[in-house]
Amino acid sequence: MDLVVLIEKTVTGLGFELVDVEQSPRGRVLRVFIDKQEKAGGVDVEDCAQVSNQLSRVLAVEDVDYDRLEISSPGLDRVLKKPADFTRFAGSEINLRLRLPVNGRRNFNGVLHGLQDGKVRLTIDTGEVELDFGNIDKARLVPKFDR
């Protein structure tokens, strides 16, 4: 079974959303980012411990070789990967990088207006743009701090 599929099945089975999985270059460190949309304030240490305990058991049973497992919240600069992320965080400011440039530009910062018909809509400094979802290399929320 694919490692990401195995992790996602375990995480969602516990009632959490799998945001991202990162592996160190040699696969020795597994970083798993989880969220729980309906929980005010996001995931906490107890949630991370619960997922870590269950995932450790599953990875041992599946004989996955790794040295360290890290479970974390996605943080304030959460990565946006799935189509649902671009709908959920509409109205938020994001940083976005494309795989291939559009009009000579790969990096965009702006307010997300969602995803429709495979296009991510943003308002940037020069107006509104539509970018192909399949051309997105990375997208992250821009953290907002109250002063």
Side-chain angles (χ1 to χ4, degrees):
M1 181 181 278
D2 179 12
L3 180 61
V4 174
V5 172
L6 178 66
I7 292 171
E8 184 162 29
K9 185 176 180 182
T10 304
V11 168
T12 57
L14 292 170
F16 296 94
E17 171 194 1
L18 179 65
V19 175
D20 199 9
V21 175
E22 293 178 354
Q23 284 184 273
S24 63
R26 294 190 184 127
R28 306 311 307 161
V29 178
L30 289 173
R31 288 184 192 93
V32 177
F33 298 90
I34 62 170
D35 200 3
K36 195 162 196 171
Q37 185 173 349
E38 61 277 358
K39 186 172 181 180
V43 296
D44 56 27
V45 174
E46 288 80 19
D47 296 329
C48 292
Q50 177 188 4
V51 171
S52 179
N53 290 335
Q54 184 65 27
L55 206 46
S56 296
R57 291 185 198 110
V58 170
L59 295 173
V61 166
E62 294 294 327
D63 199 28
V64 175
D65 187 31
Y66 66 97
D67 289 332
R68 189 171 72 227
L69 175 64
E70 298 175 0
I71 310 296
S72 178
S73 74
L76 295 175
D77 63 341
R78 175 195 170 115
V79 65
L80 305 179
K81 285 190 148 190
K82 303 171 190 164
D85 294 339
F86 290 87
T87 301
R88 176 179 170 192
F89 293 103
S92 300
E93 187 177 348
I94 68 168
N95 290 331
L96 186 143
R97 185 173 73 215
L98 300 177
R99 290 182 177 97
L100 301 170
V102 171
N103 297 326
R105 186 173 176 178
R106 287 184 60 201
N107 296 305
F108 294 83
N109 298 324
V111 176
L112 175 64
H113 293 289
L115 175 71
Q116 188 173 1
D117 300 324
K119 304 277 188 185
V120 173
R121 291 182 23 250
L122 285 176
T123 298
I124 60 172
D125 52 356
T126 58
E128 192 166 309
V129 293
E130 287 190 347
L131 306 166
D132 287 328
F133 177 76
N135 191 23
I136 295 174
D137 184 33
K138 285 188 180 179
R140 289 190 171 273
L141 292 176
V142 174
K144 294 291 180 201
F145 301 102
D146 295 334
R147 291 186 181 199

